[in-house]
Amino acid sequence: MLYSVDQSSAPGGAPTQPAPPEAGLHARVLDHLGTAICTGEMAAGSVLSIDDLVDRCQVSRSVVREVLRVLASMGLIESRRRVGIMIQPAEAWKVFDPRVIRWRLASDARMAQMRSITELRTAIEPHAAWLAAERISDDEASELVGVAGKLWAAGKAGDEARFLDLDIDFHRRVLVGSGNEMFEELQLIVAEVLAGRHHYHLMPHYPDEQALQLHTDVAHAIQRRDGERARRAMVGIMEQGFAEMRSLWERTFEPDGP
C-alpha cells in the first residue's frame, strides 16, 4: 500500500489540491514527495536515502529513482556522493513548474505564492491582451467573446466547476492570442493558480459582477482591436482577483506569508 499524504488537509488545516489525472504509481509517489518537500514536512537540508524512501512509500527502488530524477530536475533535491539525497531550499526550486506551484499552494505560504503569481500575471497578461487585439484572428476573437459570455452566465448561476473551466479557457485564449510563444507557455501556470483559488476557497461562490464585466470588456476590446482598452481591463481583472483573495484569506486568520 502506498503511503500518502492526507489529501484532505495541509499545514494550516486547508485541503490540498488533488493530484492531476496522471496515470500510475510514479505520479502518486511524485505528488506525495513533492508536496512533502514544498510544505516543509521534509525540511530543507534533510538527508534521505533511496532505502528510506522505499520504506516510506512502499514502492520499488526503480520507482523511487525515477521520482528522484524528476524532483532533481525541479531543483527540489540534490544527490550528493557520500552524503545522500539532500532536500534543497526554496531558492533552488524551479518555481515556474506547474507542479511546484501546486505543491507550494498546499503549504502555509499559500498566500505568498498566490501573490507572486498574481504579480507575474499583472506584468504579463495585460500586455498579452494588448498584443491579442492586434494579432488574434477574427474567428478567435469572436470565440473569446463567446467564452466571456458563458463565463458571465456560469458566474451568475454559481456554477463553480463550469466557471473554473471557462476562466482557464478565457485566459488561455488571451495568452495564445498574443502570438507570443513565451506568453503562451504561461497558460499552465495560470491554470494551476486559478484551480488553486477555487480549491482553497480563495474566490467567492458568486463572482463579483465587476470581475465578470471586466472579462467581457477584455474580450470586446480585443475583438474591436482596441489594445489599450483590453490592457486596462485585464489590469482590472488582476487587481480584482487579488483583492478577492486577500479579503477571503483575511477572514480565515491564516498566515499571509512574507
Side-chain angles (χ1 to χ4, degrees):
M1 173 76 70
L2 171 68
Y3 177 92
S4 63
V5 173
D6 180 3
Q7 292 297 308
S8 66
S9 63
T16 59
Q17 281 196 82
E22 301 173 44
L25 188 59
H26 168 272
R28 296 199 297 275
V29 175
L30 176 63
D31 193 65
H32 165 53
L33 294 180
T35 300
I37 293 169
C38 291
T39 60
E41 179 189 339
M42 297 171 72
S46 299
V47 177
L48 305 170
S49 70
I50 289 178
D51 289 339
D52 292 334
L53 296 174
V54 167
D55 290 341
R56 178 187 178 104
C57 300
Q58 293 295 293
V59 295
S60 69
R61 294 173 69 87
S62 62
V63 169
V64 168
R65 286 195 186 96
E66 177 59 20
V67 168
L68 292 177
R69 183 190 66 78
V70 177
L71 292 173
S73 74
M74 299 176 182
L76 271 62
I77 64 165
E78 182 177 87
S79 295
R80 298 186 180 179
R81 203 168 198 175
R82 301 191 186 89
V83 175
I85 300 151
M86 181 169 286
I87 308 300
Q88 295 295 94
E91 293 78 13
W93 301 348
K94 299 293 172 37
V95 295
F96 280 90
D97 190 301
R99 292 165 295 187
V100 172
I101 290 169
R102 185 189 326 123
W103 299 331
R104 291 180 76 187
L105 289 174
S107 76
D108 281 337
R110 182 176 304 118
M111 193 59 181
Q113 171 74 118
M114 286 287 190
R115 178 188 293 112
S116 65
I117 296 176
T118 301
E119 290 170 352
L120 172 69
R121 293 181 64 196
T122 300
I124 298 299
E125 289 196 63
H127 195 66
W130 184 82
L131 289 173
E134 177 182 333
R135 297 175 176 175
I136 201 170
S137 72
D138 290 340
D139 286 345
E140 290 169 334
S142 295
E143 290 170 3
L144 182 65
V145 170
V147 171
K150 293 174 184 176
L151 188 69
W152 181 290
K156 286 294 189 181
D159 188 340
E160 294 185 24
R162 180 159 172 74
F163 183 88
L164 173 59
D165 289 343
L166 289 165
D167 201 18
I168 290 173
D169 188 34
F170 180 90
H171 290 277
R172 178 190 66 79
R173 287 174 181 271
V174 173
L175 290 166
V176 172
S178 74
N180 182 301
E181 73 279 6
M182 304 294 285
F183 288 1
E184 183 175 345
E185 281 296 302
L186 293 176
Q187 63 179 288
L188 296 178
I189 292 175
V190 172
E192 202 64 61
V193 76
L194 290 174
R197 282 194 63 193
H198 281 259
H199 187 77
Y200 294 109
H201 311 297
L202 292 174
M203 71 177 299
H205 179 67
Y206 290 95
D208 186 270
E209 188 164 321
Q210 181 184 3
L212 296 174
Q213 182 62 55
L214 286 167
H215 282 77
T216 300
D217 291 346
V218 169
H220 282 293
I222 288 174
Q223 186 182 46
R224 294 167 184 159
R225 309 297 177 183
D226 188 339
E228 182 55 29
R229 187 178 293 273
R231 186 195 67 78
R232 289 200 305 269
M234 187 64 84
V235 168
I237 291 173
M238 299 297 105
E239 292 175 345
Q240 178 78 18
F242 188 73
E244 288 174 348
M245 283 190 294
R246 188 168 188 87
S247 174
L248 290 168
W249 193 268
E250 287 174 346
R251 293 178 203 170
T252 70
F253 302 101
E254 292 185 34
D256 187 24

